[in-house]
Amino acid sequence: MVRDGAGRRPRPRVRSASREPSVHQLRLFLVLAEELHFGRAAQRLFLSQPALSQQIRALEGRLGVDLLQRSSRQVELTPAGQALIPKARDTVVAMTRLQKLAAVYSRETRGHLRIGAIGGEAFMPYVIAILAELSARHPGITVEIRSVNFVEQVYVLPRGEVDAAFLRPPLPPGLRSLQLSTEPRVACLPANDPLVAQAPLTLAQLSDRVVVDVPIPELRQWWDFWTVNPRPDGSAVRYGPVAEDMDALLSAVARGQAIAFLPAEARLDYSRRGVAYVDVVDLPLSTAALAWLPRRDNPALAALLQAARTVVRRNGREDPPPV
């Protein structure tokens, strides 16, 4: 009895529990079906000819059918071998796709992000777009949103209570940031204030109004920016009741105790009885930013920053210099 290339050799008997062919064997068979020559196929596959012959015989044994007719002169496909080629190719392609998909998920960043958001930032379009981009790119990352009040913004990142935060600059020292958006600011007045009917206003028209204050010195620079203190004419702002969050601030305004200055989006996010929002023509713009601590080795945070930069570029903005 002669061997492959010079005649037939019986297929090895295979136990029924092992009759499924391997994808590797199917790949070898497809190359051999193209070449119809053991020597050339073995060369393409970087195998020895005996090793290839052994694998093909094993494949035939597992399938229980002859795939090739061998002689000393030529190798030909049997009718079964010809019929099995499309299915073998489909199986190999499907396995290749499966392996590529598995590779993507094996490289996928996983983790849990705690993200702070001051005021109504969690509902802003750019924040929603960033979190959607993050979810699309890295479904293995879960996100927890934490509402941050005026005071908490100072320490939630340094204390590690959140991994990143959507804040309104100026930012506490030591943070890096990515600018996300700019928008006008408005004055928040008691609804019965006579100036409401005179809108739009100037800062000079508001010079005699008491302004809501914040409770800790660490917020002084941030709040002076928001209240435009000092005013363009050099006069100092008169501060009144203290508030550490938006509800307290709006309550003080609604009761006629003071006024405040907020992003224009407050009209939508913080519509309250007794409060009116008025345009002020000489108020500087407000900036929204994503903030984080530098030198933080956190793959999930890096994925969030990548998603944020993608959204910024998509919206036609270039990354500003890190702050």
Side-chain angles (χ1 to χ4, degrees):
M1 188 172 296
V2 293
R3 301 176 181 273
D4 290 336
R8 285 295 303 151
R9 176 177 177 175
R11 295 187 301 270
R13 299 181 64 183
V14 181
R15 295 168 56 189
S16 60
S18 304
R19 291 187 65 86
E20 291 185 359
S22 70
V23 176
H24 175 63
Q25 290 171 335
L26 293 177
R27 288 192 176 100
L28 301 184
F29 166 63
L30 289 173
V31 172
L32 183 56
E34 291 177 4
E35 295 292 344
L36 292 178
H37 189 282
F38 274 91
R40 290 194 299 270
Q43 188 174 12
R44 276 182 58 183
L45 293 164
F46 300 100
L47 291 174
S48 68
Q49 184 171 329
L52 175 59
S53 298
Q54 184 179 9
Q55 287 292 329
I56 297 301
R57 288 196 301 272
L59 174 61
E60 290 176 320
R62 292 187 176 192
L63 291 174
V65 65
D66 290 333
L67 301 174
L68 300 164
Q69 290 179 341
R70 306 155 174 88
S71 71
S72 58
R73 296 183 179 179
Q74 61 184 2
V75 176
E76 295 180 348
L77 290 168
T78 65
Q82 189 68 49
L84 263 59
I85 285 177
K87 294 299 183 183
R89 186 176 293 114
D90 290 346
T91 301
V92 170
V93 169
M95 182 58 69
T96 300
R97 290 174 177 168
L98 185 148
Q99 290 170 333
K100 287 182 178 179
L101 182 61
V104 169
Y105 280 92
S106 69
R107 296 191 300 268
E108 179 186 284
T109 301
R110 298 179 181 274
H112 181 73
L113 282 175
R114 301 159 301 163
I115 302 177
I118 194 169
E121 288 300 291
F123 303 99
M124 296 297 286
Y126 45 81
V127 173
I128 293 171
I130 289 169
L131 297 182
E133 182 74 19
L134 176 67
S135 178
R137 287 171 174 253
H138 303 282
I141 296 177
T142 57
V143 172
E144 171 189 350
I145 300 294
R146 171 178 168 177
S147 180
V148 174
N149 65 32
F150 300 157
V151 175
E152 289 171 329
Q153 68 173 312
V154 174
Y155 62 76
V156 287
L157 278 165
R159 291 182 183 178
E161 295 182 12
V162 297
D163 303 296
F166 293 103
L167 302 176
R168 289 280 175 161
L171 298 176
L175 302 183
R176 297 190 65 187
S177 69
L178 175 68
Q179 182 176 314
L180 303 175
S181 178
T182 57
E183 65 176 300
R185 284 191 279 168
V186 295
C188 179
L189 305 180
N192 59 2
D193 191 310
L195 288 177
V196 173
Q198 300 180 34
L201 304 176
T202 64
L203 282 169
Q205 291 175 276
L206 296 166
S207 60
D208 65 338
R209 297 301 196 270
V210 174
V211 180
V212 176
D213 202 3
V214 287
I216 60 173
E218 291 86 349
L219 289 170
R220 188 77 273 146
Q221 181 182 2
W222 179 70
W223 201 236
D224 282 346
F225 167 80
W226 278 97
T227 59
V228 194
N229 183 40
R231 295 293 166 78
D233 63 2
S235 62
V237 169
R238 292 191 301 127
Y239 289 113
V242 172
E244 67 176 34
D245 59 29
M246 286 296 296
D247 285 338
L249 180 150
L250 294 171
S251 176
V253 173
R255 288 180 285 128
Q257 294 183 323
I259 69 169
F261 298 96
L262 297 172
E265 275 290 327
R267 283 192 170 106
L268 299 176
D269 296 336
Y270 293 102
S271 176
R272 298 289 191 275
R273 292 185 182 90
V275 171
Y277 294 99
V278 180
D279 291 329
V280 180
V281 295
D282 50 350
L283 270 177
L285 294 176
S286 164
T287 300
L290 173 61
W292 69 95
L293 278 175
R295 299 179 300 277
R296 182 65 61 86
D297 184 16
N298 183 340
L301 174 59
L304 173 66
L305 301 181
Q306 182 185 39
R309 292 186 176 101
T310 297
V311 170
V312 167
R313 287 192 293 268
R314 186 182 299 150
N315 291 340
R317 299 177 58 89
E318 293 184 358
D319 290 6
V323 176

